[in-house]
Amino acid sequence: MDFGFIFSSAASEIFSPTTAAYALAALGLAVHFGFSGLLNFGQAGFMAVGAYGFAISTLTFHVPFFVGLLIAVVASSIFALLLGIPTLRLRADYLAIVTIASAEIVRYIVTTNQLTSVTGSANGLAAFEGGFYSMNPFPAGSYLGMNNRDFFIRVVGWGLVIVCCALVWLLMRSPWGRVLKGIREDENAVRSLGKNVYAYKMQALIIGGVLGALAGMIFTLPRGAIQPANYGTELTFFLYTCLLLGGLGTVLGPVVGAMIFWVVLSLTQGILFGLIESGAVTWLNTVQAGQLRFILVGVALMLLMIFRPQGVFGNKKELAFA
């Protein structure tokens, strides 16, 4: 078993585009749940809306990249409004029910056979990334062991993570952010001070949803294809795992949590596959090993919740509202 290859493969996940996408989406959940107390179980739906909004506008209407990006952002904002208008005046569990159902509705809509010409149905969409890579300023060659396309998407993805983290940090240090934290702790007290709690919740839902839409785009661009199966309910729970690993009410927590999540997944898969290939483990096949690694991550998360429930960067004061 080549431990050097296993560890190098796991380390490469730290700055992969997928990790950047998870970091962005988990940051959106931090705005929703960590800072505002909004229990959103449909972040996968926001990612799907962003990815399909960009891909459909590019393939069907042949719009430039930045117009497609704007359409994805607007589509996610409209999606947030549709979710928030009937639920944000009610208890938090209503938002949880509506968001998890809406994410599944989005996934089933894009797999409808009647929309195959637009959404690609179960096969998804492909070949929509040309406009993005046409802006690549790096000439053909090797960059830190990567080709220019892989290096470009990493620069863009992690540059976007840095910019969004800075914006969220500034927002949460502003009076607006302090009101959000007050709503998380006791929205009745904030309402008694004359603040429009409904409007603040809606704004937070839209901002977190836009971060999810951007994450959906970064998630699909390296692959050059969208598969609706990738936006199932389990994706949202993986994002919550990243959020809990790093810390709920933090800005850097979701980023570090996404890194830890993907490194641990890659490391456990590499070790399990290596043990199977070497014959040290005969009672397990590679398909079962792929499922077992999620079980191991779940056990690790349980231990984290027992011994450090505030996450890597969090503090126990942030758990008071949970």
Side-chain angles (χ1 to χ4, degrees), residues 104-144:
E104 284 298 285
I105 289 171
V106 169
R107 189 166 65 89
Y108 281 116
I109 287 176
V110 297
T111 57
T112 303
N113 290 332
Q114 286 78 3
L115 297 176
T116 300
S117 60
V118 178
T119 65
S121 188
N123 294 323
L125 297 172
F128 51 81
E129 76 282 9
F132 172 76
Y133 285 111
S134 67
M135 300 184 297
N136 188 354
F138 302 104
S142 179
Y143 299 86
L144 302 176

Side-chain angles (χ1 to χ4, degrees), residues 27 31 35 163-173 211 251:
L27 182 63
V31 174
F35 292 110
V163 170
C164 290
C165 282
L167 290 176
V168 171
W169 183 77
L170 291 172
L171 282 173
M172 296 309 160
R173 286 173 59 89
L211 291 175
V251 175

Side-chain angles (χ1 to χ4, degrees), residues 202-227:
M202 183 65 75
Q203 292 163 18
L205 186 63
I206 291 173
I207 291 172
V210 168
L211 291 175
L214 295 176
M217 291 180 57
I218 298 298
F219 187 65
T220 57
L221 282 172
R223 299 168 174 79
I226 299 177
Q227 296 294 331

Side-chain angles (χ1 to χ4, degrees), residues 219-307:
F219 187 65
T220 57
L221 282 172
R223 299 168 174 79
I226 299 177
Q227 296 294 331
N230 292 333
Y231 299 96
T233 306
E234 66 276 5
L235 175 57
T236 297
F237 292 114
F238 292 159
L239 297 174
Y240 266 106
T241 300
C242 298
L243 180 61
L244 293 172
L245 283 171
L248 285 175
T250 64
V251 175
L252 287 180
V255 179
V256 175
M259 292 177 174
I260 295 173
F261 178 78
W262 277 104
V263 167
V264 171
L265 272 186
S266 178
L267 192 60
T268 52
Q269 177 177 287
I271 292 174
L272 289 172
F273 282 15
L275 291 172
I276 293 171
E277 292 172 359
S278 65
V281 174
T282 58
W283 48 270
L284 200 66
N285 58 42
T286 54
V287 175
Q288 294 169 330
Q291 298 168 342
L292 179 60
R293 64 176 181 156
F294 287 109
I295 295 175
L296 295 175
V297 171
V299 171
L301 182 62
M302 291 168 59
L303 294 174
L304 180 71
M305 290 296 96
I306 293 171
F307 296 105

Side-chain angles (χ1 to χ4, degrees), residues 78-98:
I78 295 173
F79 186 56
L81 287 170
L82 292 176
L83 296 182
I85 288 173
T87 60
L88 290 182
R89 295 186 188 275
L90 305 174
R91 295 199 313 267
D93 49 352
Y94 285 98
L95 178 64
I97 295 169
V98 168

Side-chain angles (χ1 to χ4, degrees), residues 189-196:
V190 175
R191 190 177 289 112
S192 69
L193 297 175
K195 300 296 184 181
N196 189 335

